[in-house]
PDB file of all heavy atoms in Angstrom:
ATOM      1  N   PHE A 187      -8.019  24.640 -13.745  1.00  0.00           N
ATOM      2  CA  PHE A 187      -8.613  25.851 -13.171  1.00  0.00           C
ATOM      3  C   PHE A 187      -8.208  27.080 -13.992  1.00  0.00           C
ATOM      4  O   PHE A 187      -9.058  27.879 -14.386  1.00  0.00           O
ATOM      5  CB  PHE A 187      -8.177  26.011 -11.710  1.00  0.00           C
ATOM      6  CG  PHE A 187      -8.524  27.343 -11.129  1.00  0.00           C
ATOM      7  CD1 PHE A 187      -9.837  27.664 -10.796  1.00  0.00           C
ATOM      8  CD2 PHE A 187      -7.547  28.302 -10.906  1.00  0.00           C
ATOM      9  CE1 PHE A 187     -10.168  28.905 -10.271  1.00  0.00           C
ATOM     10  CE2 PHE A 187      -7.862  29.544 -10.378  1.00  0.00           C
ATOM     11  CZ  PHE A 187      -9.176  29.837 -10.065  1.00  0.00           C
ATOM     12  N   ILE A 188      -6.918  27.208 -14.261  1.00  0.00           N
ATOM     13  CA  ILE A 188      -6.427  28.373 -15.020  1.00  0.00           C
ATOM     14  C   ILE A 188      -7.035  28.370 -16.427  1.00  0.00           C
ATOM     15  O   ILE A 188      -7.558  29.388 -16.891  1.00  0.00           O
ATOM     16  CB  ILE A 188      -4.880  28.379 -15.093  1.00  0.00           C
ATOM     17  CG1 ILE A 188      -4.277  28.540 -13.695  1.00  0.00           C
ATOM     18  CG2 ILE A 188      -4.390  29.500 -16.016  1.00  0.00           C
ATOM     19  CD1 ILE A 188      -2.771  28.265 -13.632  1.00  0.00           C
ATOM     20  N   TYR A 189      -7.007  27.204 -17.085  1.00  0.00           N
ATOM     21  CA  TYR A 189      -7.526  27.126 -18.458  1.00  0.00           C
ATOM     22  C   TYR A 189      -9.012  27.466 -18.513  1.00  0.00           C
ATOM     23  O   TYR A 189      -9.470  28.127 -19.451  1.00  0.00           O
ATOM     24  CB  TYR A 189      -7.278  25.737 -19.060  1.00  0.00           C
ATOM     25  CG  TYR A 189      -7.696  25.671 -20.513  1.00  0.00           C
ATOM     26  CD1 TYR A 189      -6.873  26.197 -21.508  1.00  0.00           C
ATOM     27  CD2 TYR A 189      -8.920  25.134 -20.892  1.00  0.00           C
ATOM     28  CE1 TYR A 189      -7.251  26.169 -22.840  1.00  0.00           C
ATOM     29  CE2 TYR A 189      -9.303  25.101 -22.218  1.00  0.00           C
ATOM     30  CZ  TYR A 189      -8.470  25.616 -23.182  1.00  0.00           C
ATOM     31  OH  TYR A 189      -8.851  25.606 -24.502  1.00  0.00           O
ATOM     32  N   SER A 190      -9.760  27.058 -17.489  1.00  0.00           N
ATOM     33  CA  SER A 190     -11.203  27.345 -17.472  1.00  0.00           C
ATOM     34  C   SER A 190     -11.477  28.844 -17.439  1.00  0.00           C
ATOM     35  O   SER A 190     -12.552  29.285 -17.827  1.00  0.00           O
ATOM     36  CB  SER A 190     -11.876  26.666 -16.274  1.00  0.00           C
ATOM     37  OG  SER A 190     -11.564  27.340 -15.065  1.00  0.00           O
ATOM     38  N   LYS A 191     -10.499  29.621 -16.993  1.00  0.00           N
ATOM     39  CA  LYS A 191     -10.676  31.075 -16.924  1.00  0.00           C
ATOM     40  C   LYS A 191     -10.128  31.799 -18.150  1.00  0.00           C
ATOM     41  O   LYS A 191     -10.718  32.752 -18.626  1.00  0.00           O
ATOM     42  CB  LYS A 191      -9.991  31.644 -15.673  1.00  0.00           C
ATOM     43  CG  LYS A 191     -10.403  30.992 -14.370  1.00  0.00           C
ATOM     44  CD  LYS A 191     -11.857  31.202 -14.053  1.00  0.00           C
ATOM     45  CE  LYS A 191     -12.222  30.538 -12.756  1.00  0.00           C
ATOM     46  NZ  LYS A 191     -13.528  29.928 -12.766  1.00  0.00           N
ATOM     47  N   VAL A 192      -8.972  31.351 -18.659  1.00  0.00           N
ATOM     48  CA  VAL A 192      -8.327  32.094 -19.759  1.00  0.00           C
ATOM     49  C   VAL A 192      -8.572  31.486 -21.148  1.00  0.00           C
ATOM     50  O   VAL A 192      -8.392  32.177 -22.149  1.00  0.00           O
ATOM     51  CB  VAL A 192      -6.805  32.260 -19.522  1.00  0.00           C
ATOM     52  CG1 VAL A 192      -6.541  33.018 -18.247  1.00  0.00           C
ATOM     53  CG2 VAL A 192      -6.082  30.930 -19.512  1.00  0.00           C
ATOM     54  N   LEU A 193      -8.934  30.203 -21.201  1.00  0.00           N
ATOM     55  CA  LEU A 193      -9.253  29.510 -22.456  1.00  0.00           C
ATOM     56  C   LEU A 193      -8.162  29.615 -23.521  1.00  0.00           C
ATOM     57  O   LEU A 193      -8.432  29.774 -24.704  1.00  0.00           O
ATOM     58  CB  LEU A 193     -10.585  30.020 -23.021  1.00  0.00           C
ATOM     59  CG  LEU A 193     -11.779  29.887 -22.087  1.00  0.00           C
ATOM     60  CD1 LEU A 193     -13.002  30.548 -22.694  1.00  0.00           C
ATOM     61  CD2 LEU A 193     -12.052  28.438 -21.748  1.00  0.00           C
ATOM     62  N   ASP A 194      -6.910  29.558 -23.076  1.00  0.00           N
ATOM     63  CA  ASP A 194      -5.784  29.631 -24.000  1.00  0.00           C
ATOM     64  C   ASP A 194      -4.639  28.814 -23.389  1.00  0.00           C
ATOM     65  O   ASP A 194      -4.229  29.079 -22.267  1.00  0.00           O
ATOM     66  CB  ASP A 194      -5.365  31.087 -24.199  1.00  0.00           C
ATOM     67  CG  ASP A 194      -4.214  31.232 -25.179  1.00  0.00           C
ATOM     68  OD1 ASP A 194      -3.072  30.874 -24.796  1.00  0.00           O
ATOM     69  OD2 ASP A 194      -4.442  31.715 -26.298  1.00  0.00           O
ATOM     70  N   ARG A 195      -4.158  27.816 -24.130  1.00  0.00           N
ATOM     71  CA  ARG A 195      -3.128  26.899 -23.600  1.00  0.00           C
ATOM     72  C   ARG A 195      -1.828  27.633 -23.241  1.00  0.00           C
ATOM     73  O   ARG A 195      -1.231  27.367 -22.205  1.00  0.00           O
ATOM     74  CB  ARG A 195      -2.836  25.794 -24.604  1.00  0.00           C
ATOM     75  CG  ARG A 195      -4.025  24.902 -24.838  1.00  0.00           C
ATOM     76  CD  ARG A 195      -3.810  23.511 -24.287  1.00  0.00           C
ATOM     77  NE  ARG A 195      -5.016  22.719 -24.448  1.00  0.00           N
ATOM     78  CZ  ARG A 195      -5.820  22.363 -23.460  1.00  0.00           C
ATOM     79  NH1 ARG A 195      -5.553  22.748 -22.242  1.00  0.00           N
ATOM     80  NH2 ARG A 195      -6.876  21.637 -23.684  1.00  0.00           N
ATOM     81  N   ASP A 196      -1.354  28.525 -24.122  1.00  0.00           N
ATOM     82  CA  ASP A 196      -0.090  29.227 -23.865  1.00  0.00           C
ATOM     83  C   ASP A 196      -0.188  30.121 -22.634  1.00  0.00           C
ATOM     84  O   ASP A 196       0.719  30.138 -21.796  1.00  0.00           O
ATOM     85  CB  ASP A 196       0.321  30.065 -25.088  1.00  0.00           C
ATOM     86  CG  ASP A 196       0.675  29.185 -26.285  1.00  0.00           C
ATOM     87  OD1 ASP A 196       1.078  28.016 -26.066  1.00  0.00           O
ATOM     88  OD2 ASP A 196       0.547  29.657 -27.429  1.00  0.00           O
ATOM     89  N   ILE A 197      -1.285  30.861 -22.532  1.00  0.00           N
ATOM     90  CA  ILE A 197      -1.478  31.731 -21.376  1.00  0.00           C
ATOM     91  C   ILE A 197      -1.603  30.886 -20.115  1.00  0.00           C
ATOM     92  O   ILE A 197      -1.063  31.235 -19.054  1.00  0.00           O
ATOM     93  CB  ILE A 197      -2.706  32.650 -21.567  1.00  0.00           C
ATOM     94  CG1 ILE A 197      -2.449  33.628 -22.716  1.00  0.00           C
ATOM     95  CG2 ILE A 197      -3.034  33.401 -20.284  1.00  0.00           C
ATOM     96  CD1 ILE A 197      -3.666  34.408 -23.174  1.00  0.00           C
ATOM     97  N   THR A 198      -2.283  29.747 -20.226  1.00  0.00           N
ATOM     98  CA  THR A 198      -2.415  28.830 -19.085  1.00  0.00           C
ATOM     99  C   THR A 198      -1.035  28.397 -18.600  1.00  0.00           C
ATOM    100  O   THR A 198      -0.750  28.432 -17.403  1.00  0.00           O
ATOM    101  CB  THR A 198      -3.255  27.590 -19.470  1.00  0.00           C
ATOM    102  OG1 THR A 198      -4.571  28.028 -19.816  1.00  0.00           O
ATOM    103  CG2 THR A 198      -3.334  26.600 -18.335  1.00  0.00           C
ATOM    104  N   GLU A 199      -0.169  27.993 -19.529  1.00  0.00           N
ATOM    105  CA  GLU A 199       1.190  27.573 -19.152  1.00  0.00           C
ATOM    106  C   GLU A 199       1.958  28.708 -18.492  1.00  0.00           C
ATOM    107  O   GLU A 199       2.644  28.499 -17.487  1.00  0.00           O
ATOM    108  CB  GLU A 199       1.954  27.087 -20.386  1.00  0.00           C
ATOM    109  CG  GLU A 199       1.624  25.676 -20.787  1.00  0.00           C
ATOM    110  CD  GLU A 199       2.452  25.215 -21.972  1.00  0.00           C
ATOM    111  OE1 GLU A 199       3.651  25.577 -22.066  1.00  0.00           O
ATOM    112  OE2 GLU A 199       1.901  24.480 -22.818  1.00  0.00           O
ATOM    113  N   ASP A 200       1.845  29.912 -19.063  1.00  0.00           N
ATOM    114  CA  ASP A 200       2.544  31.061 -18.484  1.00  0.00           C
ATOM    115  C   ASP A 200       2.083  31.338 -17.056  1.00  0.00           C
ATOM    116  O   ASP A 200       2.899  31.545 -16.159  1.00  0.00           O
ATOM    117  CB  ASP A 200       2.313  32.318 -19.341  1.00  0.00           C
ATOM    118  CG  ASP A 200       3.019  32.251 -20.688  1.00  0.00           C
ATOM    119  OD1 ASP A 200       3.889  31.362 -20.863  1.00  0.00           O
ATOM    120  OD2 ASP A 200       2.699  33.081 -21.561  1.00  0.00           O
TER     121      ASP A 200
END
Side-chain angles (χ1 to χ4, degrees):
F187 169 74
I188 296 168
Y189 185 79
S190 74
K191 306 296 180 218
V192 300
L193 303 174
D194 181 287
R195 295 249 176 252
D196 293 334
I197 294 169
T198 297
E199 280 183 37
D200 290 346

